[in-house]
C-alpha cells in the first residue's frame, strides 16, 4: 500500500534507485525547530533536491541543527531576509513559529522562490490574504503543510463523500484532541504562536472534513475558546503555566455555503478521552470516523458507513488502510508532492485558496469568542 501511495506523488519513470543526473532543486530552511526535523529528514532522501542554506533567529541554533543532520556545509544566516538576499534558491520550507509565517512566506514569494509553508497557514485571515496576494503576483508555487492529506484513510473519506453514497451533506461534527497533551516551547504564547490548539491541531481536523466535501465557503461562526488547563500549574509545568496565554480548548458552530452545518471542537487538555468522533451526515447515509487519542493525522479505527439498503438499516465497516507514520512517510510524501509540482508545473498539493477558508474559520472562532456572539465571515473580495 505504501508503494502505491508513493507512486501517486512521483514523476513517471522515477526510480529512487537510480542516480539523479539533472539539476537539483536548491532548498533553504527557514526556522530550525522541531518541525524542521521532518522536512530535513525527508529532503535528505530526495535525489533531486539539496539543502543549501538555513536561517534561524537564535544564534548557534541552525549550526547545531544542521551538524546533527550531517549537513555541516549548509550556509547559515541570522534571519530569512539575509538568506533570501544572498542565495539563489528554488524553494524554501517555512518552519518558523506561527506569527512569522506570513512575513517569511511573503518575502520568499517576492524573491521568486517557491514555498512550502507549515501549518497553520497564518494566525489571522488578513495575513493569509496577504500571502495569497503575494503568491499571485509572484507566479510561484505555494503549498500548505497538511501531510494528513497524503494518508490513504483520509483519501478514503473524500472518496466516500464524492461517491454520492451519503447524498447531500447537511451536518458535520468534527474535532478531537488529547486528554493531556499541552505542548511547550513557542506553542503556548501569543507573541510566537498567536493561537493554541486551534492552530496546532484544530486546522487538521477542519481540513479533514472540508477537503472531503470540497471546501465550501464559510459564512458565519459562533465560537468559544478557553485556556483553563494550560494556565493552571495543577495540569501544566508551573513555568509554562505562567506564560501560557493561548487557547487549549475551542469549539464553534459554523454555517457553510450549501446549507451545511459544521459542529467543531478541539482540545489540548480535557477531562475526557475525546470530545467525540467525526460524523458526516447526509440525506442518503452517514459516515462515522473514530477519533484518536492524540490527533495524529489519521483515524482511530475502522470507519462505519450507515445506509438503508432495500428498506433495511445497515452498517458497513470500512477496513483501515495501512497507516503511514505521520512524521516519516507522510512528511516524505508532502515534500515529494511539492517538489513534483514544481518540476511538472502542476497545482500545489494543498493550495492556499482552500486553506484560506480553513484560516477564515479559525480567525472567525477567535473573533467570535472574544466578542461573545456569532459573526459573519467576511472574505477579501480581491482574492
Amino acid at each position: 500500500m505504501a508503494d502505491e501511495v508513493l507512486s501517486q506523488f512521483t514523476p513517471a519513470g522515477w526510480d529512487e534507485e537510480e542516480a539523479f543526473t539533472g539539476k537539483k532543486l536548491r532548498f533553504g530552511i527557514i526556522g530550525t525547530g522541531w518541525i524542521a526535523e521532518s522536512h530535513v529528514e525527508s529532503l535528505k532522501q530526495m535525489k533531486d533536491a539539496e539543502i543549501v542554506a538555513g536561517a534561524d533567529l537564535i544564534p548557534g541554533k541552525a549550526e547545531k541543527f544542521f551538524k546533527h543532520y550531517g549537513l555541516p556545509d549548509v550556509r547559515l544566516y541570522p534571519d530569512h531576509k539575509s538568506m533570501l538576499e544572498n542565495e539563489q534558491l528554488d524553494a524554501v520550507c517555512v518552519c518558523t513559529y506561527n506569527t512569522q509565517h506570513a512575513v517569511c512566506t511573503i518575502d520568499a514569494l517576492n524573491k521568486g522562490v517557491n514555498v512550502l509553508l507549515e501549518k497553520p497557514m497564518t494566525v489571522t485571515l488578513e495575513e493569509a490574504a496577504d500571502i495569497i496576494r503575494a503568491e499571485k503576483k509572484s507566479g510561484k508555487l505555494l503549498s500548505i503543510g497538511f501531510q494528513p492529506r497524503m494518508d490513504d484513510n483520509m483519501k478514503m473519506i473524500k472518496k466516500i463523500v464524492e461517491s454520492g453514497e451519503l447524498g447531500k451533506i447537511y451536518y458535520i461534527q468534527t474535532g478531537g484532541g488529547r486528554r493531556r497533551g499541552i505542548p511547550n516551547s513557542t506553542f503556548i504564547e501569543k507573541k510566537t504562536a498567536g493561537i493554541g490548539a486551534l492552530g496546532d491541531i484544530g486546522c487538521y481536523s477542519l481540513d479533514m472534513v472540508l477537503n472531503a466535501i470540497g471546501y465550501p465557503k464559510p459564512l458565519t461562526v459562533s465560537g468559544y475558546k478557553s485556556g483553563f488547563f494550560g494556565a493552571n500549574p495543577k495540569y501544566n509545568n508551573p513555568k509554562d503555566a505562567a506564560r501560557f496565554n493561548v487557547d487549549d480548548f475551542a469549539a464553534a458552530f459554523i454555517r457553510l455555503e450549501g446549507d451545511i452545518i459544521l459542529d467543531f471542537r478541539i482540545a489540548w487538555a480535557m477531562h475526557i478521552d475525546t470530545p467525540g468522533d467525526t460524523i458526516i451526515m447526509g440525506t442518503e447515509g452517514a459516515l462515522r470516523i473514530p477519533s484518536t487519542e492524540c490527533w495524529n493525522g489519521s483515524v482511530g479505527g475502522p470507519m462505519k458507513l450507515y445506509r438503508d439498503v432495500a428498506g433495511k438499516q445497515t452498517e458497513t465497516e470500512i477496513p483501515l488502510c495501512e497507516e503511514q507514520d505521520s512524521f516519516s512517510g507522510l512528511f516524505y510524501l508532502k515534500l515529494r508532492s511539492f517538489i513534483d509540482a514544481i518540476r511538472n508545473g502542476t497545482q500545489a498539493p494543498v493550495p492556499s485558496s482552500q486553506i484560506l477558508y480553513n484560516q477564515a474559520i479559525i480567525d472567525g472562532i477567535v473573533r467570535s469568542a472574544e466578542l461573545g456572539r456569532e459573526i459573519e465571515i467576511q472574505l477579501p473580495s480581491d482574492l
Side-chain angles (χ1 to χ4, degrees):
M1 182 66 70
D3 290 340
E4 293 176 8
V5 176
L6 181 60
S7 67
Q8 298 178 48
F9 295 96
T10 52
W14 180 264
D15 187 344
E16 288 287 352
E17 298 302 319
E18 293 181 3
F20 182 76
T21 58
K23 178 183 179 294
K24 293 185 177 183
L25 293 182
R26 295 163 56 84
F27 269 79
I29 306 295
I30 303 177
T32 56
W34 171 74
I35 201 67
E37 296 176 6
S38 296
H39 287 254
V40 171
E41 288 175 346
S42 297
L43 285 170
K44 285 179 66 177
Q45 300 177 55
M46 311 286 182
K47 292 182 172 62
D48 59 341
E50 58 180 341
I51 303 169
V52 299
D56 200 292
L57 296 174
I58 300 175
K61 186 178 178 182
E63 181 180 10
K64 182 178 178 181
F65 177 86
F66 287 110
K67 281 185 177 179
H68 174 75
Y69 284 99
L71 298 168
D73 297 328
V74 169
R75 290 181 290 280
L76 306 179
Y77 294 90
D79 55 68
H80 75 282
K81 287 188 176 181
S82 57
M83 183 181 77
L84 292 169
E85 286 290 339
N86 291 281
E87 296 287 341
Q88 294 296 316
L89 300 171
D90 297 299
V92 293
C93 296
V94 176
C95 302
T96 64
Y97 45 79
N98 300 346
T99 56
Q100 292 298 300
H101 281 189
V103 64
C104 292
T105 301
I106 290 169
D107 287 346
L109 290 168
N110 287 343
K111 281 290 183 180
V113 178
N114 300 292
V115 179
L116 177 57
L117 170 60
E118 261 305 329
K119 62 81 190 167
M121 184 177 179
T122 53
V123 175
T124 68
L125 173 59
E126 182 180 2
E127 289 175 330
D130 287 342
I131 284 178
I132 293 177
R133 292 184 186 106
E135 175 192 9
K136 289 183 175 181
K137 184 178 178 181
S138 72
K140 291 298 178 179
L141 188 78
L142 168 65
S143 188
I144 316 301
F146 282 79
Q147 71 278 352
R149 286 208 192 179
M150 311 299 165
D151 181 77
D152 268 7
N153 295 294
M154 292 296 178
K155 293 178 184 178
M156 179 58 72
I157 296 169
K158 187 173 178 65
K159 286 179 182 178
I160 290 170
V161 172
E162 291 180 340
S163 73
E165 291 285 349
L166 305 184
K168 172 186 160 39
I169 305 302
Y170 61 89
Y171 174 84
I172 298 172
Q173 170 185 297
T174 195
R178 311 159 182 163
R179 184 164 181 172
R180 293 291 185 276
I182 302 171
N184 49 40
S185 185
T186 62
F187 285 87
I188 62 174
E189 293 184 88
K190 283 185 179 179
K191 65 182 181 181
T192 49
I195 44 180
L198 267 172
D200 181 33
I201 52 179
C203 64
Y204 279 147
S205 57
L206 286 171
D207 187 66
M208 174 173 66
V209 294
L210 292 172
N211 183 49
I213 64 174
Y215 257 100
K217 183 185 298 184
L219 303 176
T220 65
V221 59
S222 181
Y224 169 86
K225 63 184 178 74
S226 59
F228 297 123
F229 289 81
N232 189 338
K234 179 179 178 180
Y235 301 111
N236 200 3
N237 179 293
K239 289 184 178 180
D240 289 336
R243 62 191 182 94
F244 190 98
N245 60 357
V246 294
D247 57 278
D248 60 30
F249 175 79
F253 193 73
I254 304 140
R255 294 184 182 275
L256 304 173
E257 198 170 53
D259 198 22
I260 301 171
I261 295 299
L262 176 56
D263 185 355
F264 166 80
R265 69 293 303 264
I266 200 74
W268 271 343
M270 53 189 169
H271 286 305
I272 199 168
D273 56 345
T274 174
D277 294 340
T278 290
I279 299 170
I280 302 176
M281 297 173 63
T283 55
E284 299 298 323
L287 181 67
R288 180 185 296 276
I289 306 160
S291 62
T292 59
E293 290 184 6
C294 175
W295 217 101
N296 62 1
S298 189
V299 301
M303 295 180 281
K304 282 191 176 180
L305 177 61
Y306 299 80
R307 295 172 299 171
D308 286 3
V309 177
K312 299 293 184 180
Q313 296 177 3
T314 68
E315 299 178 16
T316 303
E317 185 171 282
I318 310 296
L320 279 176
C321 304
E322 180 183 346
E323 291 189 43
Q324 292 169 280
D325 184 79
S326 183
F327 297 104
S328 57
L330 295 184
F331 261 81
Y332 178 91
L333 293 176
K334 176 169 71 175
L335 269 295
R336 184 68 258 167
S337 62
F338 173 64
I339 290 173
D340 292 346
I342 294 172
R343 290 197 174 280
N344 300 331
T346 52
Q347 182 181 359
V350 183
S352 61
S353 58
Q354 293 179 352
I355 308 306
L356 176 70
Y357 290 176
N358 188 303
Q359 200 66 49
I361 290 172
I362 291 173
D363 180 87
I365 292 170
V366 172
R367 292 189 294 111
S368 171
E370 291 173 349
L371 291 170
R373 60 175 173 80
E374 182 180 63
I375 64 167
E376 183 177 351
I377 294 178
Q378 298 284 353
L379 293 164
S381 59
D382 61 329
L383 299 181

